[in-house]
Amino acid sequence: MHTDEAVNAYITGQLLAGESYHYDNRDRHGPALYALALPLARLAGAHSLADLNEFELRLGPVITGTLAVFLFAAFIPEIGLLAAVLAALLWAIAPPVVYYNRYFIHETMFLAATMVLLASGWRMLKSRSIGFGLLTGVAGGLMVACKETAILGFAAAGLALLYGWFVAARIARANNSRPGSLGKDCLLPLIAAGASGLLVVLLCFSWGGTHWQGIKNLAEAAPHLSNRAGGEGHQKPAWYYLHLLGDGWSGWVFLVLALIGSLNILTRLVPLSATEVSHSPTMDADVARRLLVLYTVLICGIYSAIPYKTPWLVLNLWLPLALLAGLGMATLWQLARRTAARWPLLLGALGLLVLMAHDTRLRVFLKPADEHNPYAYAHTGEDLLRLPERMEKLAQTNPAGRNLRIAVVAADPWPLPWYLRHFPEVGYWQPDQNPGPADVYITSLQVDDALSAKLQSWRPEFFGVRPEVLIVLWTPPEPAAATP
């Protein structure tokens, strides 16, 4: 379990045990992940942190990640059936998507909500539907309830739609008609979107009306988010996400396909098919595609410009690029109109899927925790799995059993609270604090002089936590054998 997963698991365990949810705007994201994890954990019979396992926690992201594959169908009227199916297929087998879709973090839910926001938001403005307005607001509220960085997606989508309003108005003036997509009669749907989004945010961050301080904490989150955007130890160069997107055998092919799709949208090299025109007969599909290109450029630019970068954030770029890559493959298919010319294209598409499946197998299944895996960001090493096994053996030989007293002395103990969850008598101290007597100690490599002197005769065992991060398990010396 990654450290972030362990923290989220600990919070879920507290909620299962009956503690109230409290939103922390400094070191935590929103409550949506826990709201989904709780009922799934209870259905599995869990009542506390000690009852949980990795499968139960990661099931929620797997469900929402699978749902996202089917959500590509919502883009069929704008990009066409073939492009939507291809984009969904790329999303379903892409290495970063599969890797993080089974992480117990907020990203997977955030991306599913983003897809609903983009699809329903466009339909709201196109049809001036209050129903789509309500759905758009709910999706936006869920994005905020997942991660406060939803504001970045809102900014990119808002700027793209502002451009779309000018395009629609220009088309309307050229045709001597009123604006078809973004007219003044969108006011009521926009109000509905704002109201439903606000309601979702209030319900989530107040934890159903039981913790209204969470709303205040959310309102005060801006200074911390601003500081965090500066890096806080996670600074990366602007081209970092480009490196992740182009990773492996399939990465650059994927980017080339997205570029082909974008160029077709901007140059109209391949016209809309008859099927697509039947869905959108008033140039709306053409406008929507241009907005997709602009949204992609904006979201990529925003995330690349911010110094703070972690690899799972690349999914925010992967989503619109997958739609464009699907369009790119559909463009090539339409260009190769002759059946004989389409066979090499089919073989090429199959080759891309094979390459992508190869990269996914390598990154996700064969070497998921390898330090050279670009997606395994400060990931917990497999060596740490020896620690709970060792602790169980110690419990079997200790009269206290699992109630033996364990003192953890480390500046950053995570993810140990997850791996020691079956031991009720565990305490955590900073290196400059005195933990007092204990049956066993778990420390970082650096401890203060007093504890170091105390542990001189104790037996040390080393465990790797993360790359270049070790902890030491100290067990007391064996009692001297009695002289006959």
Side-chain angles (χ1 to χ4, degrees), residues 197 260 267 294 355:
I260 292 173
T267 62
L294 181 56
L355 288 176

Side-chain angles (χ1 to χ4, degrees), residues 282-294:
T282 61
M283 295 286 289
D284 281 335
D286 185 42
V287 173
R289 292 178 178 208
R290 289 174 175 268
L291 296 186
L292 174 61
V293 174
L294 181 56

Side-chain angles (χ1 to χ4, degrees), residues 215-275:
I215 306 299
K216 182 175 181 292
N217 292 344
L218 177 62
E220 297 173 347
H224 166 65
L225 295 176
S226 177
N227 292 335
R228 195 166 185 80
E232 293 188 345
H234 298 277
Q235 299 92 331
K236 307 287 189 308
W239 47 262
Y240 174 72
Y241 292 125
L242 180 63
H243 168 71
L244 286 179
L245 291 167
D247 177 67
W249 290 96
S250 60
W252 288 106
V253 179
F254 169 76
L255 290 177
V256 169
L257 287 172
L259 179 61
I260 292 173
S262 302
L263 291 176
N264 180 43
I265 292 171
L266 298 177
T267 62
R268 300 177 185 173
L269 179 63
V270 177
L272 294 174
S273 67
T275 303

Side-chain angles (χ1 to χ4, degrees), residues 302-380:
I302 291 172
Y303 274 92
S304 297
I306 295 174
Y308 179 94
K309 294 179 178 69
T310 54
W312 44 83
L313 294 178
V314 78
L315 297 183
N316 294 276
L317 287 58
W318 229 98
L319 171 60
L321 286 169
L323 292 168
L324 292 176
L327 273 168
M329 295 178 73
T331 297
L332 295 176
W333 180 255
Q334 293 180 37
L335 285 173
R337 297 183 185 278
R338 296 182 180 179
T339 305
R342 284 182 168 177
W343 281 110
L345 184 60
L346 280 174
L347 293 176
L350 181 61
L352 170 61
L353 297 179
V354 170
L355 288 176
M356 191 167 284
H358 167 270
D359 292 339
T360 299
R361 179 173 178 268
L362 177 65
R363 301 298 192 200
V364 181
F365 299 105
L366 296 183
K367 299 182 178 181
D370 190 276
E371 60 182 299
H372 299 295
N373 185 338
Y375 309 128
Y377 186 71
H379 193 82
T380 303

Side-chain angles (χ1 to χ4, degrees), residues 145-169:
C146 288
K147 299 184 68 175
E148 307 84 343
T149 51
I151 191 173
L152 303 180
F154 297 161
L159 290 173
L161 286 174
L162 182 62
Y163 168 79
W165 186 87
F166 285 111
V167 171

Side-chain angles (χ1 to χ4, degrees), residues 49 53 111 117 129 168 209 219 231 259 433:
L49 177 66
N53 59 46
L111 266 294
L117 176 85
S129 166
L259 179 61
Q433 296 176 324

